Amino acid sequence: MAKELYDNIPMEVEDLLKDIKSGKLGLPDLQRPFVWKDNKVRDLLDSMLKGFPIGYIMIWSAPEDYENVKQIGLNEKNYKRSEDLVIDGQQRLTSLIAAMYGIKVKDKRFKERRIRIVFNPLERIFEVWSNRYEKDPLWINDISKAFEADANHEATKFRRAFIKQLGCPVCCTNFSSLS
């Protein structure tokens, strides 16, 4: 039996996303552009919330002389050259970085776009943003704001503001454990 040419290295999603944000994890030039529609991003987040498996991510250590590297997302990167490259899982990782951190991505037409997903914590439902959700107090109208609050150690403040915006004693009792 031949020796396996890969290692299975368990990683947390959060660590993968940090590596993308920093530029440590990038894309080889053979990867197609980002093609997912926003509803597919919503479905990915919904699957993750429900605890369903969302597949494997395949990463390749970039050879020293490999120059054809692209970055994921249009944010500033700490790494000028990626150390590792996504071979499989680009669409999923790009979706997460865009929705969770509000980072713009380039689509198949090379246009910059923002993916905005909303969340109803009472019903535990994700949806694609539209004006319909903008003023509805039951919805967090951009999940990236919740992740930003968490990164800035302001999650409790964010939760309290959300509960206050509900303005309903019945609803607020459902969130008493969050504050």
Side-chain angles (χ1 to χ4, degrees):
M1 179 173 212
K3 181 182 182 294
E4 292 178 348
L5 299 176
Y6 63 90
D7 293 319
N8 184 8
I9 303 170
M11 290 182 73
E12 298 290 324
V13 172
E14 180 180 15
D15 294 332
L16 287 167
L17 297 179
K18 282 180 186 176
D19 286 351
I20 291 169
K21 284 174 38 180
S22 73
K24 181 180 179 187
L25 183 57
L27 296 171
D29 62 352
L30 60 93
Q31 286 286 18
R32 65 184 175 158
F34 182 71
V35 297
W36 276 18
K37 295 186 185 307
D38 291 3
N39 62 341
K40 191 150 180 163
V41 177
R42 176 205 57 211
D43 293 346
L44 172 67
L45 290 164
D46 183 61
S47 292
M48 291 175 73
L49 179 67
K50 291 176 179 169
F52 297 149
I54 59 165
Y56 283 92
I57 306 295
M58 189 177 296
I59 298 172
W60 176 43
S61 291
E64 291 294 324
D65 59 347
Y66 193 80
E67 296 298 325
N68 300 328
V69 176
K70 299 182 287 187
Q71 299 289 347
I72 300 172
L74 301 176
N75 61 312
E76 288 294 317
K77 308 289 185 185
N78 296 333
Y79 287 75
K80 297 303 175 205
R81 184 180 177 283
S82 299
E83 292 180 7
D84 299 313
L85 304 172
V86 178
I87 301 300
D88 185 40
Q90 171 206 356
Q91 301 296 310
R92 287 170 284 157
L93 290 172
T94 303
S95 296
L96 294 176
I97 203 79
M100 292 169 59
Y101 297 105
I103 295 173
K104 289 183 179 180
V105 295
K106 282 192 178 180
D107 65 16
K108 61 185 171 190
R109 294 185 186 99
F110 300 99
K111 289 181 67 176
E112 288 184 19
R113 73 181 185 101
R114 170 100 157 67
I115 298 170
R116 202 161 149 193
I117 303 295
V118 300
F119 182 65
N120 181 322
L122 292 171
E123 301 292 329
R124 297 176 53 93
I125 299 170
F126 288 102
E127 287 295 342
V128 174
W129 180 90
S130 73
N131 284 331
R132 159 184 170 195
Y133 302 106
E134 189 66 30
K135 301 290 184 198
D136 189 333
L138 296 176
W139 292 85
I140 296 171
N141 68 19
D142 184 347
I143 64 168
S144 71
K145 301 300 182 199
F147 286 97
E148 179 182 347
D150 185 54
N152 293 332
H153 307 288
E154 297 175 347
T156 299
K157 181 179 173 182
F158 184 87
R159 284 191 295 266
R160 286 184 179 156
F162 179 78
I163 292 167
K164 185 177 180 182
Q165 103 184 358
L166 290 173
C168 169
V170 175
C171 295
C172 292
T173 59
N174 293 336
F175 284 98
S176 61
S177 65
L178 296 178
S179 52

